[in-house]
Amino acid sequence: MLRKKGSLVLCGAFLFITWNAVLVLLLRGRPSPGAEQRGVAEGPAGDVVADVLRMADAFEAELGRQKEILLQIKSRRSPLDPSGGGGAGGGAEAAFAPRPPVIPILVIACNRVTVRRCLDKLLRLRPSEELHPIVVSQDCGHAETAEVIRSYGGAVTHLRQPDLSDVAVAPQHRKFQGYYKISRHYRWALNQVFRTLGHAAAVIVEDDLEVAPDFFEYFRALLPVLQSDRSLWCVSAWNDNGRDGLVDPGRPDLLYRTDFFPGLGWMLLRELWEELEPKWPAAFWDDWMRQPEQRRERACVRPEISRTLTFGRQGVSLGQFYDKFLRHTKLNADFVPFSTLDLSYLREDSYRRSFQTAVYATAAAVSYEDLVQGRLQGAGPFRLQYSSRDAFKMLAKNLGVMDDLKSGVPRTGYRGVVSFFYKGRRVYLAPPPGWSQYDPSWS
């Protein structure tokens, strides 16, 4: 496509130069009326001819400049061809090399002055200001937090959610006022990013998240995967069961598909926002995202080892899950060059086949007692089966993984399977073979 565009431009430029050159030659070769008899043109007609000749001289000079520009374009080194000059990547195609995608980071802020910790890490790790503009959207009108954000000057864009009024709610929901305001803020902020600023994709983080060294690399490499696979609807930096001891420390490169919407540092496309925005909920937006009507059997990509870490115990959830789970999440410390890896294994068909083979053919079936008492043969992986909601919750709780379900989907689950490490071995907490769908009553 680039070669075709370059050829069309060169042909057009050639025709333009040829036409103007012919015009110049015709004008300069045309004698003035009566010039042979009088030597010079006189009167209005002579003035017109003189003006035309002056225009021809100007055209000729301009054509020379255009020729120089075209020669420079022709010899310009292509960013797709480091050797420069000729070859498949050289020539005019270089001028039409696709621009790298811009992926803004939308920071959702309110009244935490510790947003500084989040922003400092983002700015220190950001590989490019142009490719990753940081947009901080602040709700709450908290002056001290606003001053912290202002202190970064032009390094970030500071937006303020204009509607700070209370949301009209039913009396029994007054204690959830904060959740209503958060949902309103998300809607406003995402409209700013996608509709006002016109971005095609965005990564959302909240003001209490710290990011890993390869946070930007992770999302840049997975953007093409998200764009090309309609069975995916987000990429998340978070593993709900990412506590130290539940993840394989030797596989920071390992990625999964999950049917559970993780959040906590996630990327979406503008097309998804255009789908969700008209029906965006008044409150509890994240659990709303986990309903089958929104998920529509689509999955997210999530890592083995989290690329975000939450440090905000205080919030509208009053520390729910924080002390028991979130504070112990392992943040990846190694840079994984995801953009150099083959991520095609994440495509739906190939991933489903290989995952089901690993769970139901490769992994040895074991009992809970054998697992916890260490009576296992080999290095694994192992499959621990559950057949009911209560069985899942009991096993998950006893093994230290999160036991709650949303619309029937367990955290990190893919086709009902929860993958985690236990005492140095891979374990799949899995439904019986032949699983077909989630039961929303399992919540």
Side-chain angles (χ1 to χ4, degrees), residues 135-164:
V135 179
V136 186
S137 181
Q138 186 191 1
D139 200 2
C140 308
H142 191 249
E144 289 82 0
T145 301
E147 184 57 37
V148 169
I149 299 169
R150 268 199 306 269
S151 71
Y152 289 90
V156 305
T157 298
H158 185 190
L159 306 178
R160 298 194 187 202
Q161 201 282 111
D163 186 0
L164 303 181

Side-chain angles (χ1 to χ4, degrees), residues 180-238:
Y180 282 83
K181 290 185 175 181
I182 287 173
S183 190
R184 178 177 65 185
H185 184 197
Y186 263 82
R187 184 176 200 161
W188 182 85
L190 284 166
N191 274 332
Q192 298 306 303
V193 168
F194 288 123
R195 295 184 174 174
T196 303
L197 300 178
H199 291 293
V203 175
I204 305 170
V205 300
E206 295 190 358
D207 55 1
D208 62 346
L209 290 182
E210 181 179 343
V211 302
D214 56 357
F215 174 85
F216 291 94
E217 168 75 2
Y218 174 77
F219 283 110
R220 290 202 69 81
L222 284 165
L223 176 61
V225 177
L226 180 62
Q227 290 173 323
S228 63
D229 189 342
R230 294 304 177 186
S231 69
L232 293 173
W233 70 325
C234 85
V235 174
S236 175
W238 181 256

Side-chain angles (χ1 to χ4, degrees), residues 366-389:
V366 296
S367 68
Y368 170 75
E369 290 75 16
D370 288 342
L371 181 64
V372 298
Q373 294 176 18
R375 298 196 300 262
L376 302 176
Q377 300 296 321
F382 301 97
R383 173 165 48 90
L384 182 61
Q385 185 170 297
Y386 69 89
S387 56
S388 68
R389 172 186 176 274

Side-chain angles (χ1 to χ4, degrees), residues 9-247:
V9 171
L10 286 176
C11 289
F14 175 77
L15 291 174
F16 176 74
I17 291 173
T18 303
W19 169 253
N20 283 281
V22 170
L23 178 63
V24 170
L25 291 173
L26 288 175
L27 290 172
R28 292 186 67 85
R30 180 179 176 180
S32 303
E36 294 180 357
Q37 289 81 14
R38 295 187 298 275
V40 293
E42 296 178 356
D47 291 340
V48 171
V49 172
D51 289 342
V52 171
L53 289 173
R54 282 194 294 273
M55 291 173 62
D57 289 336
F59 269 122
E60 189 174 18
E62 180 62 25
L63 288 173
R65 286 193 290 271
Q66 292 173 11
K67 181 179 178 181
E68 281 295 315
I69 293 171
L70 289 172
L71 288 173
Q72 291 175 19
I73 292 174
K74 184 177 180 180
S75 62
R76 182 178 176 181
R77 173 175 291 184
S78 168
L80 300 180
D81 179 14
S83 62
E93 294 177 18
F96 300 95
R99 289 189 60 199
V102 175
I103 309 176
I105 310 300
L106 173 61
V107 180
I108 300 293
C110 181
N111 58 359
R112 292 188 181 108
V113 294
T114 51
V115 66
R116 183 180 298 280
R117 177 175 170 182
C118 171
L119 292 176
D120 283 349
K121 197 69 173 289
L122 285 169
L123 290 169
R124 184 163 74 249
L125 296 174
R126 178 170 65 172
S128 166
E129 180 178 355
E130 179 184 5
L131 299 181
H132 294 287
I134 295 175
V135 179
V136 186
S137 181
Q138 186 191 1
D139 200 2
C140 308
H142 191 249
E144 289 82 0
T145 301
E147 184 57 37
V148 169
I149 299 169
R150 268 199 306 269
S151 71
Y152 289 90
V156 305
T157 298
H158 185 190
L159 306 178
R160 298 194 187 202
Q161 201 282 111
D163 186 0
L164 303 181
S165 63
D166 284 344
V167 181
V169 300
Q172 64 269 27
H173 270 216
R174 284 175 184 164
K175 62 181 179 180
F176 300 127
Q177 179 73 215
Y179 290 100
Y180 282 83
K181 290 185 175 181
I182 287 173
S183 190
R184 178 177 65 185
H185 184 197
Y186 263 82
R187 184 176 200 161
W188 182 85
L190 284 166
N191 274 332
Q192 298 306 303
V193 168
F194 288 123
R195 295 184 174 174
T196 303
L197 300 178
H199 291 293
V203 175
I204 305 170
V205 300
E206 295 190 358
D207 55 1
D208 62 346
L209 290 182
E210 181 179 343
V211 302
D214 56 357
F215 174 85
F216 291 94
E217 168 75 2
Y218 174 77
F219 283 110
R220 290 202 69 81
L222 284 165
L223 176 61
V225 177
L226 180 62
Q227 290 173 323
S228 63
D229 189 342
R230 294 304 177 186
S231 69
L232 293 173
W233 70 325
C234 85
V235 174
S236 175
W238 181 256
N239 177 358
D240 276 296
N241 289 314
R243 294 166 53 195
D244 203 1
L246 294 179
V247 295

